[in-house]
Amino acid sequence: MRYTGVTARGIVMPVFRAGDDLVSLVAENLMKAAKNEGFAIEEGDIIGITEAVVARTQSNYAHIDQIAADVRAKLGGKDMGIVFPILSRNRFATVLKAFSAACEKLYVQLSFPSDEVGNLLFDPDLMDDRGVLPTDNFDEDGFRAVFGNTVHRFTGVDYIEYYKSLGSNIEIVFSNDPANILKYTKNVINCDIHTRARTRRRLEKAGAERVFSLDELMTAPVNGSGFNEKYGLLGSNKATETTVKLFPRACDEFVAALREKIRELSGAGIEVLVYGDGGFKDPIGGIWELADPVVSPAHTPRLGGTPNELKLKYFADNEFAGLSGEELEKAMRARISEKDGNLVGSMQSQGTTPRRYSDLVGSLCDLVSGSGDRGTPVVYIKGYFTNFATEA
């Protein structure tokens, strides 16, 4: 009989450096952890590796001069605008330095009252109090006249002043309409993450002459830089004041190689994924964590599906309401064993939103590993594919 369901362990690892053999180091340290902590490596278990260490061991970095060179070649090096960047010292500040260096004049258009992932410029209630509509547009003086100084509640940073400080040629405007930037320039980078395709279409339809999304910049090496052919600058974050770490490359090959290495050492066929930001939202600050383009850039095939689960409390409150104890448990297990292969739309599965395994597991990994000093960039998960009817 099983007494636990899903368990997730953060696995302490060495500090990885550029050029390290990540496959061997992760596999060997997992074996040590299993031996010393007393858990087994078994078929169907899952191991998650944070994208940061994959990119670091790949030396997938870019300097602001290399980014600027790519931007200059694509947008002309004169006037340029960017729309909808997120407000982040880690995620965007270094990239903004590069954009400023790539042109003579840079217009930065911020959305309001928040950026795409929920970082607020000001309390949304101020829009109602001061008669501001989401369709209104402002230059900086007009914005300050209405909203005054704006300080982020968590970081204590006034992002308007901070972003202006990153380049002497930066002018900031405010609008939720991407086409507003075309009043200033026809050369545009749309910096939003999950809405980038729609924003680009709107800019092109409105008459932009040169438009690039972040995933179209740094897609190939520039003067010896790192790159990402699929995501470009999306998923990048600050490494130093003048360099960014890009999203990792060749992740499919990495997860396949790690799976085989662990099979070689343990005999078990486990699932593997590379994970970045989790797909969850902070209930206090309203910030959506997912600033990466995806939760998981690569994973083994089983993690590409979605759960197909019954809602136990539905049966406990309805069909099996008259049962209790061992009789209730036996009926529940039987019903789970007999469930259809696809429960979409069924009342029996209501409340079990079928999110992708890769998004669910990647979010779990992100929560377990944390983003600070825990030293556990690898997470090992057992029992994820079990249910109430699983015997052992």
Side-chain angles (χ1 to χ4, degrees), residues 98-156:
F99 289 172
S100 173
C103 62
E104 295 175 3
K105 180 67 178 181
L106 179 61
Y107 299 94
V108 176
Q109 180 172 305
L110 303 179
S111 58
F112 65 87
S114 71
D115 67 8
E116 178 185 3
V117 296
N119 289 296
L120 287 168
L121 277 173
F122 56 83
D123 187 332
D125 287 342
L126 289 178
M127 292 180 66
D128 301 329
D129 295 342
R130 298 172 190 184
V132 174
L133 299 175
T135 53
D136 290 340
N137 305 317
F138 300 93
D139 60 15
E140 186 182 348
D141 288 341
F143 182 88
R144 292 294 196 188
V146 175
F147 297 109
N149 293 323
T150 56
V151 174
H152 192 281
R153 65 179 297 181
F154 290 152
T155 66

Short mmCIF file of all heavy atoms in Angstrom, two decimals, residues 98-156:
data_model
loop_
_atom_site.label_atom_id
_atom_site.label_comp_id
_atom_site.label_asym_id
_atom_site.label_seq_id
_atom_site.Cartn_x
_atom_site.Cartn_y
_atom_site.Cartn_z
N ALA A 98 21.50 47.89 -24.48
CA ALA A 98 21.92 47.52 -25.83
C ALA A 98 21.09 48.22 -26.88
O ALA A 98 21.61 48.72 -27.90
CB ALA A 98 21.84 46.01 -26.00
N PHE A 99 19.79 48.30 -26.67
CA PHE A 99 18.91 48.98 -27.63
C PHE A 99 19.26 50.46 -27.73
O PHE A 99 19.25 51.04 -28.82
CB PHE A 99 17.45 48.81 -27.22
CG PHE A 99 16.91 47.41 -27.41
CD1 PHE A 99 15.65 47.08 -26.93
CD2 PHE A 99 17.65 46.43 -28.05
CE1 PHE A 99 15.13 45.80 -27.10
CE2 PHE A 99 17.15 45.15 -28.22
CZ PHE A 99 15.89 44.83 -27.73
N SER A 100 19.55 51.07 -26.59
CA SER A 100 19.93 52.48 -26.61
C SER A 100 21.21 52.69 -27.41
O SER A 100 21.34 53.66 -28.16
CB SER A 100 20.11 52.98 -25.17
OG SER A 100 20.64 54.28 -25.13
N ALA A 101 22.16 51.77 -27.24
CA ALA A 101 23.43 51.88 -27.96
C ALA A 101 23.30 51.60 -29.45
O ALA A 101 24.21 51.92 -30.23
CB ALA A 101 24.44 50.91 -27.34
N ALA A 102 22.17 51.04 -29.86
CA ALA A 102 21.99 50.63 -31.25
C ALA A 102 21.39 51.71 -32.15
O ALA A 102 21.22 51.49 -33.34
CB ALA A 102 21.11 49.38 -31.31
N CYS A 103 21.05 52.87 -31.57
CA CYS A 103 20.38 53.89 -32.38
C CYS A 103 20.71 55.29 -31.85
O CYS A 103 21.26 55.45 -30.76
CB CYS A 103 18.87 53.66 -32.37
SG CYS A 103 18.11 53.78 -30.73
N GLU A 104 20.32 56.29 -32.63
CA GLU A 104 20.55 57.67 -32.23
C GLU A 104 19.46 58.17 -31.28
O GLU A 104 19.72 58.96 -30.38
CB GLU A 104 20.62 58.55 -33.48
CG GLU A 104 21.82 58.23 -34.37
CD GLU A 104 21.80 59.03 -35.66
OE1 GLU A 104 20.89 59.88 -35.83
OE2 GLU A 104 22.69 58.81 -36.50
N LYS A 105 18.22 57.72 -31.50
CA LYS A 105 17.09 58.12 -30.67
C LYS A 105 16.23 56.91 -30.39
O LYS A 105 15.86 56.17 -31.30
CB LYS A 105 16.26 59.21 -31.36
CG LYS A 105 15.05 59.69 -30.57
CD LYS A 105 15.47 60.45 -29.30
CE LYS A 105 14.26 60.99 -28.53
NZ LYS A 105 14.64 61.74 -27.33
N LEU A 106 15.90 56.69 -29.11
CA LEU A 106 15.11 55.54 -28.72
C LEU A 106 13.86 55.97 -27.96
O LEU A 106 13.95 56.64 -26.93
CB LEU A 106 15.93 54.59 -27.84
CG LEU A 106 15.20 53.34 -27.34
CD1 LEU A 106 14.75 52.46 -28.50
CD2 LEU A 106 16.10 52.55 -26.39
N TYR A 107 12.71 55.60 -28.49
CA TYR A 107 11.43 55.86 -27.83
C TYR A 107 10.99 54.56 -27.16
O TYR A 107 10.90 53.51 -27.80
CB TYR A 107 10.38 56.31 -28.85
CG TYR A 107 10.75 57.59 -29.56
CD1 TYR A 107 11.41 57.55 -30.80
CD2 TYR A 107 10.46 58.82 -29.01
CE1 TYR A 107 11.76 58.72 -31.46
CE2 TYR A 107 10.80 60.01 -29.66
CZ TYR A 107 11.45 59.94 -30.88
OH TYR A 107 11.81 61.10 -31.52
N VAL A 108 10.69 54.65 -25.87
CA VAL A 108 10.27 53.49 -25.09
C VAL A 108 8.81 53.68 -24.71
O VAL A 108 8.46 54.62 -23.98
CB VAL A 108 11.13 53.32 -23.82
CG1 VAL A 108 10.60 52.16 -22.98
CG2 VAL A 108 12.58 53.09 -24.19
N GLN A 109 7.95 52.80 -25.21
CA GLN A 109 6.51 52.92 -24.93
C GLN A 109 6.11 51.87 -23.89
O GLN A 109 6.20 50.66 -24.14
CB GLN A 109 5.69 52.73 -26.20
CG GLN A 109 4.18 52.84 -25.95
CD GLN A 109 3.39 52.85 -27.24
OE1 GLN A 109 3.63 53.69 -28.12
NE2 GLN A 109 2.44 51.94 -27.37
N LEU A 110 5.68 52.35 -22.73
CA LEU A 110 5.23 51.49 -21.65
C LEU A 110 3.71 51.37 -21.67
O LEU A 110 3.00 52.35 -21.91
CB LEU A 110 5.68 52.04 -20.30
CG LEU A 110 7.19 52.25 -20.11
CD1 LEU A 110 7.45 52.81 -18.72
CD2 LEU A 110 7.96 50.97 -20.33
N SER A 111 3.22 50.18 -21.37
CA SER A 111 1.78 50.00 -21.17
C SER A 111 1.43 50.42 -19.75
O SER A 111 2.30 50.55 -18.89
CB SER A 111 1.40 48.54 -21.40
OG SER A 111 2.12 47.69 -20.54
N PHE A 112 0.15 50.65 -19.51
CA PHE A 112 -0.29 51.04 -18.17
C PHE A 112 -1.67 50.44 -17.90
O PHE A 112 -2.41 50.16 -18.83
CB PHE A 112 -0.31 52.58 -18.02
CG PHE A 112 -1.31 53.29 -18.89
CD1 PHE A 112 -2.64 53.49 -18.47
CD2 PHE A 112 -0.96 53.76 -20.16
CE1 PHE A 112 -3.57 54.13 -19.28
CE2 PHE A 112 -1.88 54.40 -20.97
CZ PHE A 112 -3.18 54.59 -20.52
N PRO A 113 -2.06 50.20 -16.65
CA PRO A 113 -1.34 50.52 -15.41
C PRO A 113 -0.21 49.56 -15.07
O PRO A 113 0.49 49.76 -14.09
CB PRO A 113 -2.44 50.44 -14.35
CG PRO A 113 -3.36 49.38 -14.87
CD PRO A 113 -3.38 49.60 -16.37
N SER A 114 -0.03 48.49 -15.88
CA SER A 114 1.02 47.52 -15.57
C SER A 114 1.64 47.03 -16.86
O SER A 114 1.13 47.27 -17.97
CB SER A 114 0.43 46.33 -14.79
OG SER A 114 -0.38 45.53 -15.65
N ASP A 115 2.74 46.31 -16.71
CA ASP A 115 3.33 45.65 -17.88
C ASP A 115 2.61 44.32 -18.11
O ASP A 115 1.64 43.97 -17.41
CB ASP A 115 4.84 45.48 -17.72
CG ASP A 115 5.22 44.49 -16.60
OD1 ASP A 115 4.33 43.82 -16.04
OD2 ASP A 115 6.42 44.40 -16.30
N GLU A 116 3.10 43.58 -19.07
CA GLU A 116 2.45 42.33 -19.48
C GLU A 116 2.34 41.30 -18.37
O GLU A 116 1.37 40.53 -18.31
CB GLU A 116 3.24 41.74 -20.65
CG GLU A 116 2.72 40.42 -21.17
CD GLU A 116 3.62 39.83 -22.24
OE1 GLU A 116 4.67 40.44 -22.55
OE2 GLU A 116 3.28 38.76 -22.76
N VAL A 117 3.32 41.26 -17.48
CA VAL A 117 3.30 40.24 -16.43
C VAL A 117 2.80 40.76 -15.09
O VAL A 117 2.89 40.07 -14.08
CB VAL A 117 4.70 39.59 -16.27
CG1 VAL A 117 5.10 38.86 -17.53
CG2 VAL A 117 5.76 40.61 -15.87
N GLY A 118 2.26 41.97 -15.07
CA GLY A 118 1.58 42.46 -13.88
C GLY A 118 2.35 43.42 -12.99
O GLY A 118 1.85 43.80 -11.93
N ASN A 119 3.56 43.82 -13.38
CA ASN A 119 4.28 44.84 -12.61
C ASN A 119 3.57 46.18 -12.77
O ASN A 119 3.50 46.71 -13.89
CB ASN A 119 5.72 44.96 -13.10
CG ASN A 119 6.56 43.78 -12.73
OD1 ASN A 119 6.79 43.50 -11.56
ND2 ASN A 119 7.03 43.04 -13.74
N LEU A 120 3.08 46.74 -11.69
CA LEU A 120 2.26 47.95 -11.75
C LEU A 120 3.12 49.21 -11.80
O LEU A 120 4.07 49.35 -11.02
CB LEU A 120 1.33 48.03 -10.55
CG LEU A 120 0.13 47.08 -10.54
CD1 LEU A 120 -0.50 47.06 -9.16
CD2 LEU A 120 -0.90 47.48 -11.59
N LEU A 121 2.75 50.13 -12.67
CA LEU A 121 3.29 51.49 -12.62
C LEU A 121 2.58 52.29 -11.55
O LEU A 121 3.17 53.17 -10.91
CB LEU A 121 3.12 52.17 -13.98
CG LEU A 121 4.17 51.88 -15.05
CD1 LEU A 121 3.74 52.50 -16.37
CD2 LEU A 121 5.54 52.40 -14.63
N PHE A 122 1.29 52.02 -11.37
CA PHE A 122 0.49 52.73 -10.36
C PHE A 122 -0.73 51.90 -10.03
O PHE A 122 -1.06 50.94 -10.74
CB PHE A 122 0.08 54.13 -10.88
CG PHE A 122 -0.66 54.10 -12.19
CD1 PHE A 122 -2.03 53.86 -12.24
CD2 PHE A 122 0.01 54.33 -13.38
CE1 PHE A 122 -2.72 53.84 -13.43
CE2 PHE A 122 -0.67 54.32 -14.59
CZ PHE A 122 -2.04 54.06 -14.62
N ASP A 123 -1.40 52.24 -8.97
CA ASP A 123 -2.62 51.56 -8.55
C ASP A 123 -3.70 51.74 -9.62
O ASP A 123 -4.02 52.88 -9.99
CB ASP A 123 -3.10 52.16 -7.22
CG ASP A 123 -4.27 51.40 -6.62
OD1 ASP A 123 -5.05 50.79 -7.38
OD2 ASP A 123 -4.42 51.44 -5.39
N PRO A 124 -4.27 50.67 -10.15
CA PRO A 124 -5.29 50.80 -11.19
C PRO A 124 -6.48 51.66 -10.81
O PRO A 124 -7.12 52.26 -11.67
CB PRO A 124 -5.71 49.34 -11.45
CG PRO A 124 -4.55 48.52 -11.00
CD PRO A 124 -3.95 49.26 -9.86
N ASP A 125 -6.76 51.74 -9.51
CA ASP A 125 -7.89 52.57 -9.06
C ASP A 125 -7.68 54.05 -9.39
O ASP A 125 -8.65 54.81 -9.49
CB ASP A 125 -8.11 52.40 -7.56
CG ASP A 125 -8.73 51.06 -7.20
OD1 ASP A 125 -9.27 50.40 -8.11
OD2 ASP A 125 -8.64 50.66 -6.03
N LEU A 126 -6.42 54.45 -9.56
CA LEU A 126 -6.15 55.84 -9.91
C LEU A 126 -6.72 56.21 -11.28
O LEU A 126 -7.05 57.37 -11.51
CB LEU A 126 -4.64 56.10 -9.90
CG LEU A 126 -3.95 56.11 -8.54
CD1 LEU A 126 -2.45 56.34 -8.70
CD2 LEU A 126 -4.55 57.19 -7.64
N MET A 127 -6.85 55.22 -12.15
CA MET A 127 -7.44 55.51 -13.46
C MET A 127 -8.88 55.95 -13.30
O MET A 127 -9.33 56.90 -13.97
CB MET A 127 -7.34 54.28 -14.37
CG MET A 127 -5.91 53.93 -14.76
SD MET A 127 -5.80 52.48 -15.83
CE MET A 127 -6.63 53.07 -17.31
N ASP A 128 -9.61 55.29 -12.43
CA ASP A 128 -11.00 55.67 -12.18
C ASP A 128 -11.07 57.02 -11.47
O ASP A 128 -11.88 57.89 -11.82
CB ASP A 128 -11.69 54.61 -11.32
CG ASP A 128 -11.69 53.25 -11.98
OD1 ASP A 128 -11.72 53.19 -13.22
OD2 ASP A 128 -11.64 52.24 -11.25
N ASP A 129 -10.21 57.19 -10.46
CA ASP A 129 -10.24 58.43 -9.69
C ASP A 129 -9.92 59.65 -10.55
O ASP A 129 -10.45 60.74 -10.31
CB ASP A 129 -9.23 58.36 -8.54
CG ASP A 129 -9.58 57.29 -7.51
OD1 ASP A 129 -10.75 56.86 -7.50
OD2 ASP A 129 -8.70 56.89 -6.74
N ARG A 130 -9.06 59.48 -11.56
CA ARG A 130 -8.58 60.61 -12.33
C ARG A 130 -9.11 60.64 -13.76
O ARG A 130 -8.63 61.40 -14.60
CB ARG A 130 -7.05 60.62 -12.30
CG ARG A 130 -6.59 60.80 -10.85
CD ARG A 130 -5.13 60.65 -10.61
NE ARG A 130 -4.90 60.61 -9.16
CZ ARG A 130 -3.72 60.56 -8.59
NH1 ARG A 130 -2.62 60.54 -9.32
NH2 ARG A 130 -3.61 60.53 -7.28
N GLY A 131 -10.12 59.80 -14.01
CA GLY A 131 -10.80 59.84 -15.29
C GLY A 131 -9.96 59.42 -16.48
O GLY A 131 -10.16 59.90 -17.60
N VAL A 132 -9.03 58.51 -16.25
CA VAL A 132 -8.15 58.04 -17.32
C VAL A 132 -8.71 56.76 -17.93
O VAL A 132 -9.14 55.86 -17.20
CB VAL A 132 -6.72 57.79 -16.79
CG1 VAL A 132 -5.85 57.15 -17.86
CG2 VAL A 132 -6.11 59.09 -16.30
N LEU A 133 -8.72 56.69 -19.24
CA LEU A 133 -9.18 55.51 -19.95
C LEU A 133 -8.00 54.68 -20.44
O LEU A 133 -6.92 55.23 -20.69
CB LEU A 133 -10.03 55.93 -21.15
CG LEU A 133 -11.30 56.72 -20.85
CD1 LEU A 133 -11.97 57.16 -22.15
CD2 LEU A 133 -12.27 55.89 -20.01
N PRO A 134 -8.19 53.36 -20.61
CA PRO A 134 -7.11 52.52 -21.14
C PRO A 134 -6.65 52.94 -22.53
O PRO A 134 -5.55 52.59 -22.95
CB PRO A 134 -7.72 51.12 -21.16
CG PRO A 134 -8.84 51.17 -20.17
CD PRO A 134 -9.38 52.57 -20.25
N THR A 135 -7.50 53.68 -23.25
CA THR A 135 -7.17 54.13 -24.61
C THR A 135 -6.43 55.46 -24.64
O THR A 135 -6.04 55.93 -25.72
CB THR A 135 -8.46 54.25 -25.44
OG1 THR A 135 -9.40 55.07 -24.73
CG2 THR A 135 -9.07 52.88 -25.69
N ASP A 136 -6.21 56.08 -23.48
CA ASP A 136 -5.50 57.36 -23.45
C ASP A 136 -4.00 57.15 -23.71
O ASP A 136 -3.45 56.08 -23.43
CB ASP A 136 -5.68 58.04 -22.09
CG ASP A 136 -7.09 58.56 -21.89
OD1 ASP A 136 -7.81 58.73 -22.90
OD2 ASP A 136 -7.49 58.79 -20.73
N ASN A 137 -3.36 58.21 -24.23
CA ASN A 137 -1.92 58.19 -24.49
C ASN A 137 -1.27 59.36 -23.76
O ASN A 137 -1.86 60.43 -23.61
CB ASN A 137 -1.64 58.31 -25.99
CG ASN A 137 -2.36 57.25 -26.79
OD1 ASN A 137 -2.40 56.09 -26.41
ND2 ASN A 137 -2.94 57.65 -27.92
N PHE A 138 -0.02 59.18 -23.33
CA PHE A 138 0.68 60.23 -22.60
C PHE A 138 2.14 60.31 -23.03
O PHE A 138 2.76 59.29 -23.34
CB PHE A 138 0.69 59.94 -21.09
CG PHE A 138 -0.67 59.83 -20.45
CD1 PHE A 138 -1.30 58.60 -20.32
CD2 PHE A 138 -1.31 60.96 -19.96
CE1 PHE A 138 -2.53 58.49 -19.72
CE2 PHE A 138 -2.55 60.86 -19.35
CZ PHE A 138 -3.17 59.62 -19.24
N ASP A 139 2.68 61.55 -23.02
CA ASP A 139 4.13 61.68 -22.97
C ASP A 139 4.51 61.68 -21.49
O ASP A 139 3.64 61.59 -20.61
CB ASP A 139 4.62 62.93 -23.70
CG ASP A 139 4.06 64.22 -23.12
OD1 ASP A 139 3.51 64.21 -21.99
OD2 ASP A 139 4.15 65.26 -23.80
N GLU A 140 5.79 61.78 -21.17
CA GLU A 140 6.17 61.65 -19.76
C GLU A 140 5.63 62.79 -18.92
O GLU A 140 5.14 62.57 -17.79
CB GLU A 140 7.69 61.57 -19.60
CG GLU A 140 8.07 61.30 -18.16
CD GLU A 140 9.56 61.26 -17.92
OE1 GLU A 140 10.33 61.22 -18.89
OE2 GLU A 140 9.96 61.28 -16.73
N ASP A 141 5.67 64.02 -19.43
CA ASP A 141 5.16 65.14 -18.64
C ASP A 141 3.68 64.98 -18.36
O ASP A 141 3.21 65.22 -17.23
CB ASP A 141 5.40 66.46 -19.38
CG ASP A 141 6.88 66.85 -19.39
OD1 ASP A 141 7.63 66.34 -18.54
OD2 ASP A 141 7.26 67.67 -20.26
N GLY A 142 2.92 64.56 -19.36
CA GLY A 142 1.49 64.35 -19.17
C GLY A 142 1.20 63.24 -18.19
O GLY A 142 0.28 63.34 -17.36
N PHE A 143 1.99 62.18 -18.26
CA PHE A 143 1.82 61.05 -17.35
C PHE A 143 2.11 61.48 -15.91
O PHE A 143 1.34 61.18 -14.99
CB PHE A 143 2.76 59.92 -17.77
CG PHE A 143 2.64 58.68 -16.92
CD1 PHE A 143 1.73 57.69 -17.24
CD2 PHE A 143 3.45 58.50 -15.81
CE1 PHE A 143 1.63 56.54 -16.46
CE2 PHE A 143 3.36 57.37 -15.02
CZ PHE A 143 2.44 56.38 -15.36
N ARG A 144 3.21 62.22 -15.71
CA ARG A 144 3.57 62.66 -14.37
C ARG A 144 2.54 63.63 -13.80
O ARG A 144 2.26 63.62 -12.59
CB ARG A 144 4.94 63.33 -14.40
CG ARG A 144 6.11 62.41 -14.70
CD ARG A 144 6.33 61.39 -13.62
NE ARG A 144 7.65 60.75 -13.72
CZ ARG A 144 8.04 59.72 -13.00
NH1 ARG A 144 7.20 59.18 -12.11
NH2 ARG A 144 9.24 59.19 -13.14
N ALA A 145 1.96 64.45 -14.67
CA ALA A 145 0.96 65.41 -14.21
C ALA A 145 -0.26 64.70 -13.63
O ALA A 145 -0.90 65.18 -12.69
CB ALA A 145 0.55 66.33 -15.35
N VAL A 146 -0.57 63.53 -14.18
CA VAL A 146 -1.75 62.78 -13.73
C VAL A 146 -1.41 61.84 -12.58
O VAL A 146 -2.14 61.76 -11.58
CB VAL A 146 -2.37 61.99 -14.90
CG1 VAL A 146 -3.52 61.11 -14.41
CG2 VAL A 146 -2.85 62.93 -15.99
N PHE A 147 -0.30 61.12 -12.69
CA PHE A 147 -0.02 60.04 -11.75
C PHE A 147 1.14 60.32 -10.78
O PHE A 147 1.34 59.56 -9.83
CB PHE A 147 0.27 58.74 -12.52
CG PHE A 147 -0.90 58.27 -13.32
CD1 PHE A 147 -0.88 58.34 -14.71
CD2 PHE A 147 -2.03 57.77 -12.70
CE1 PHE A 147 -1.95 57.89 -15.46
CE2 PHE A 147 -3.12 57.33 -13.45
CZ PHE A 147 -3.09 57.39 -14.83
N GLY A 148 1.90 61.38 -11.02
CA GLY A 148 3.00 61.71 -10.12
C GLY A 148 4.13 60.71 -10.21
O GLY A 148 4.34 60.06 -11.24
N ASN A 149 4.86 60.57 -9.12
CA ASN A 149 5.97 59.61 -9.09
C ASN A 149 5.44 58.19 -8.90
O ASN A 149 4.47 57.97 -8.18
CB ASN A 149 6.95 59.96 -7.97
CG ASN A 149 7.66 61.26 -8.22
OD1 ASN A 149 7.99 61.58 -9.35
ND2 ASN A 149 7.90 62.03 -7.16
N THR A 150 6.09 57.25 -9.54
CA THR A 150 5.63 55.86 -9.49
C THR A 150 6.77 54.98 -9.00
O THR A 150 7.82 54.91 -9.61
CB THR A 150 5.20 55.39 -10.90
OG1 THR A 150 6.28 55.58 -11.82
CG2 THR A 150 4.00 56.19 -11.39
N VAL A 151 6.53 54.31 -7.89
CA VAL A 151 7.54 53.43 -7.30
C VAL A 151 6.95 52.03 -7.18
O VAL A 151 5.85 51.85 -6.65
CB VAL A 151 7.97 53.94 -5.90
CG1 VAL A 151 8.92 52.94 -5.24
CG2 VAL A 151 8.63 55.31 -6.01
N HIS A 152 7.67 51.04 -7.70
CA HIS A 152 7.22 49.65 -7.67
C HIS A 152 7.13 49.19 -6.22
O HIS A 152 8.06 49.38 -5.43
CB HIS A 152 8.21 48.78 -8.44
CG HIS A 152 7.71 47.39 -8.72
ND1 HIS A 152 7.72 46.40 -7.76
CD2 HIS A 152 7.20 46.83 -9.85
CE1 HIS A 152 7.24 45.28 -8.29
NE2 HIS A 152 6.91 45.52 -9.56
N ARG A 153 6.02 48.56 -5.87
CA ARG A 153 5.74 48.22 -4.47
C ARG A 153 6.71 47.19 -3.92
O ARG A 153 6.97 47.16 -2.71
CB ARG A 153 4.31 47.71 -4.30
CG ARG A 153 4.00 46.40 -5.01
CD ARG A 153 2.57 45.95 -4.77
NE ARG A 153 2.32 45.68 -3.36
CZ ARG A 153 1.14 45.25 -2.89
NH1 ARG A 153 0.12 45.11 -3.71
NH2 ARG A 153 0.99 44.99 -1.62
N PHE A 154 7.27 46.33 -4.75
CA PHE A 154 8.18 45.29 -4.26
C PHE A 154 9.64 45.72 -4.35
O PHE A 154 10.43 45.47 -3.44
CB PHE A 154 7.98 43.99 -5.03
CG PHE A 154 6.68 43.30 -4.74
CD1 PHE A 154 6.07 42.49 -5.68
CD2 PHE A 154 6.07 43.45 -3.50
CE1 PHE A 154 4.87 41.85 -5.40
CE2 PHE A 154 4.88 42.82 -3.21
CZ PHE A 154 4.27 42.01 -4.17
N THR A 155 10.02 46.33 -5.46
CA THR A 155 11.44 46.66 -5.67
C THR A 155 11.82 48.04 -5.17
O THR A 155 13.00 48.33 -4.99
CB THR A 155 11.79 46.57 -7.16
OG1 THR A 155 11.08 47.58 -7.89
CG2 THR A 155 11.42 45.20 -7.73
N GLY A 156 10.83 48.92 -4.98
CA GLY A 156 11.12 50.29 -4.58
C GLY A 156 11.74 51.13 -5.68
O GLY A 156 12.31 52.19 -5.41
#
